Amino acid sequence: MTSTNESKWLIPSSSRLASKSLEQEKAIWDENHEDYANTTFSLTQDPKICKALVCPDRSPGYNIPNSPDIKVLIPGCGSEIYLQKTLLEFCPQIGQVYCTDFSKTAIEKALENWKNADGESRINNQQFVFEEVDSTRITEQKPEWQDKFDYVLLVNSVVSTEDETNRQMIREFGKVLKPGGKIYGFFPTTLCFLEIAYFSRKHAHCITEGYIDVYGNKVWDPEWTDAQIYYTPLRLNRIFKEAGLKRLSLEMDFLDYEPFVSMFKEMIDHDDPDIFLWHLLVRYEKEALG
């Protein structure tokens, strides 16, 4: 694994609010997962999103093999199980799938949902494992996971408001991959919101008032109380490079179909059918030793 010690284009912590502690972050997500369906919109509830990671139609060379030798990690899995079910649909003979989250409530809910979906036997035979693990400390908490996984699947899982925390997650994902192992994932991007602010006149103030900061890769909430980091492709690519991962593909994925169209229309109150969210769909590979 070849990585550089130099971190480039670092994003400083926001001066508007003190950074949240890990305990505060956990408390927020524990509360969200108590009633996740009504507090958070999960991309994975759409089968197209899950299939694009597991068995993509337009990129068949990136299919996950249906093999008992394959081990998959789904970090930041949350309490929903759509991605796990899709993975099992296309890869019923998959070796092992580890689903982790730093929220204890998320793991408890995911485990309950999985058992209710007739998945208990697959837990008992250890094909599926659900565990509370901090994505910034995977190899510290699970040293036996170093070089263990063939694939890491991410869906909006690198979402800390702190740049260094996000970078640490990606470094950890690189460490747990086998040489030649791959990361497939969806990432929100600041450029999406910049486009929307330019094309939707009623949202132009998001640029003039500084709600969108492209250089800082931040999008502020309407009350200016917190900022979410949504990476641009250049910065995201650099972060993966620093983690010793080489790019296989990085593309735009338009969420121009239901339920995303209706959800986003209601969220920002617009009536233009050509305005919708888009994400970055990334695929990276851990460089082989030597």
Side-chain angles (χ1 to χ4, degrees):
M1 178 175 177
T2 60
S3 62
T4 176
N5 292 323
E6 179 190 3
S7 293
K8 192 174 183 180
W9 299 329
L10 294 169
I11 301 172
S13 296
S14 170
S15 60
R16 291 177 181 156
L17 270 187
S19 300
K20 294 184 180 71
S21 68
L22 178 62
E23 290 71 24
Q24 290 172 318
E25 292 273 7
K26 281 189 175 184
I28 291 171
W29 283 105
D30 282 345
E31 183 177 355
N32 284 345
H33 285 291
E34 287 292 349
D35 187 21
Y36 192 81
N38 293 317
T39 59
T40 309
F41 188 86
S42 172
L43 280 181
T44 59
Q45 70 179 274
D46 190 275
K48 294 178 184 177
I49 293 292
C50 299
K51 191 172 185 295
L53 296 182
V54 176
C55 186
D57 291 327
R58 65 173 182 257
S59 304
Y62 296 124
N63 287 3
I64 295 178
N66 179 27
S67 166
D69 297 327
I70 298 298
K71 293 181 174 62
V72 176
L73 174 65
I74 305 177
C77 67
S79 53
E80 303 291 356
I81 58 170
Y82 301 109
L83 182 55
Q84 292 91 327
K85 290 169 71 175
T86 301
L87 186 58
L88 200 57
E89 176 185 352
F90 290 97
C91 306
Q93 303 304 317
I94 199 84
Q96 286 184 305
V97 181
Y98 288 76
C99 311
T100 66
D101 202 285
F102 81 153
S103 165
K104 180 180 180 181
T105 303
I107 291 299
E108 290 173 347
K109 294 281 186 178
L111 191 55
E112 179 183 355
N113 289 337
W114 187 251
K115 288 181 178 179
N116 290 339
D118 298 323
E120 187 162 12
S121 63
R122 295 182 182 275
I123 292 175
N124 292 336
N125 70 16
Q126 296 188 324
Q127 187 183 26
F128 275 76
V129 178
F130 291 82
E131 288 196 57
E132 182 184 348
V133 180
D134 183 346
S135 289
T136 65
R137 301 167 55 216
I138 300 176
T139 52
E140 175 188 335
Q141 295 179 339
K142 298 287 184 179
E144 69 276 14
W145 287 8
Q146 184 98 22
D147 300 324
K148 179 183 180 73
F149 295 98
D150 300 279
Y151 292 88
V152 173
L153 302 183
L154 308 168
V155 181
N156 287 6
S157 304
V158 184
V159 293
S160 169
T161 57
E162 293 300 318
D163 180 41
E164 177 49 39
T165 301
N166 291 330
R167 290 172 184 254
Q168 179 62 22
M169 289 185 203
I170 293 175
R171 286 194 291 266
E172 287 294 301
F173 301 153
K175 290 178 183 178
V176 300
L177 279 176
K178 298 176 182 177
K182 299 173 178 63
I183 287 180
Y184 296 165
F186 280 94
F187 286 76
T189 173
T190 310
L191 297 184
C192 169
F193 296 91
L194 182 67
E195 273 202 316
I196 290 166
Y198 272 113
F199 290 129
S200 176
R201 182 166 296 181
K202 68 170 65 176
H203 296 95
H205 69 92
C206 293
I207 298 173
T208 58
E209 296 178 16
Y211 286 104
I212 300 172
D213 174 6
V214 175
Y215 180 75
N217 285 194
K218 293 179 180 179
V219 178
W220 290 87
D221 67 29
E223 287 76 34
W224 288 67
T225 58
D226 209 351
Q228 179 63 60
I229 293 178
Y230 297 139
Y231 289 109
T232 56
L234 280 177
R235 192 178 246 127
L236 186 61
N237 185 64
R238 173 67 192 196
I239 294 171
F240 274 109
K241 179 180 178 182
E242 290 171 4
L245 299 158
K246 66 177 181 179
R247 186 180 67 256
L248 299 175
S249 70
L250 196 160
E251 58 194 70
M252 297 168 62
D253 200 86
F254 289 110
L255 306 182
D256 56 347
Y257 48 88
E258 296 295 343
F260 301 112
V261 171
S262 296
M263 178 274 296
F264 193 59
K265 180 178 179 180
E266 180 179 352
M267 180 187 299
I268 72 168
D269 186 26
H270 75 86
D271 56 4
D272 189 328
D274 293 311
I275 292 179
F276 38 77
L277 284 171
W278 55 272
H279 276 56
L280 300 175
L281 171 55
V282 308
R283 298 183 179 93
Y284 281 79
E285 181 178 71
K286 183 173 179 176
E287 296 185 76
L289 297 174

